[in-house]
Amino acid sequence: MQDLISEEALRRRIEEVADEINADFAGADLLNLVVVLRGGCFFGTDLAKRLTMPCRLDYIRVTSYSGDKSSGVVSLMSDIRTDIRNQPVLVVDDIIDTGFTMAWILRYLDLKSPASVHVASLLDKPARREFEVPIHYVGFIVPNVFVAGYGLDGLDDRMANIPRIVAVEPTNEEARIPPTRERLPSLH
Ligand code: 5GP
Ligand code: MG
């Protein structure tokens, strides 16, 4: 196990991501945060505390099965409870890996006719992407290794409470912050 992103780096970067969201959604009446359980929980909580517009917090829980691969079948274990019809939605997840789960969630939420859907993911592992998904807000780009901590489970279900992000396998690469993107045009 090797440290990849410190608690302090997480805190600072989540503040920056929150600032971007606050600027993009400035003046919004209500933003519906849909946190993807279980992994998105720490990020969703820390991010929500820094958002300045009124936010509704809801949760969706899905599982993707296919041995150790996530490109199998997605099951909805627990749906959101709030009505997002004609409302702006921000989906908050821990990590986008193959993109399969998020692609499924976006298609599913779209059936509920929200006004808009954006995606915030604490981590992005682009090396493994198989399904193109829009990620509007990314905390860190991580190398192609299994990571854990800060709400993400390790391989043995005992690492989710580690307050930083660790690489479960050794890596020479570091986590990096993506380049700042252009502001999204008026989101609400
Ligand atoms: P995807 O469908 O994009 O391949 O990944 C789906 C989910 O698998 C992610 O939201 C995350 O919960 C989990 N996952 C993917 N990569 C990792 C990883 O490196 N570490 C942990 N703990 N979970 C991962
Ligand atoms: Mg997840």
Side-chain angles (χ1 to χ4, degrees), residues 38-178:
R38 294 176 288 177
C41 203
F42 284 31
F43 178 45
T45 306
D46 283 346
L47 183 68
K49 286 187 280 187
R50 295 186 163 81
L51 296 181
T52 48
M53 75 294 290
C55 285
R56 198 149 65 174
L57 261 176
D58 207 339
Y59 303 88
I60 191 168
R61 183 163 181 176
V62 295
T63 320
S64 28
Y65 303 91
S66 178
D68 57 354
K69 287 205 146 178
S70 56
S71 48
V73 175
V74 173
S75 297
L76 179 66
M77 310 301 287
S78 176
D79 200 354
I80 56 171
R81 307 293 289 268
T82 43
D83 185 7
I84 57 168
R85 190 178 185 80
N86 297 328
Q87 307 256 348
V89 168
L90 180 66
V91 184
V92 182
D93 205 354
D94 52 355
I95 181 165
I96 313 284
D97 190 29
T98 64
F100 180 69
T101 311
M102 185 55 72
W104 188 95
I105 290 172
L106 293 178
R107 278 200 312 276
Y108 178 72
L109 291 178
D110 205 48
L111 299 175
K112 298 175 187 279
S113 306
S116 62
V117 180
H118 291 83
V119 175
S121 184
L122 178 66
L123 307 176
D124 180 11
K125 203 194 279 180
R128 297 240 314 154
R129 194 76 84 256
E130 289 175 37
F131 302 84
E132 244 358 277
V133 283
I135 321 178
H136 305 91
Y137 307 97
V138 174
F140 295 88
I141 296 172
V142 292
N144 189 8
V145 286
F146 197 77
V147 296
Y150 195 70
L152 288 84
D153 269 335
L155 295 167
D156 60 358
D157 249 359
R158 290 161 177 259
M159 294 166 90
N161 64 318
I162 296 172
R164 57 196 179 279
I165 296 285
V166 298
V168 174
E169 318 146 36
T171 174
N172 298 323
E173 284 177 73
E174 295 187 346
R176 56 194 174 84
I177 292 176

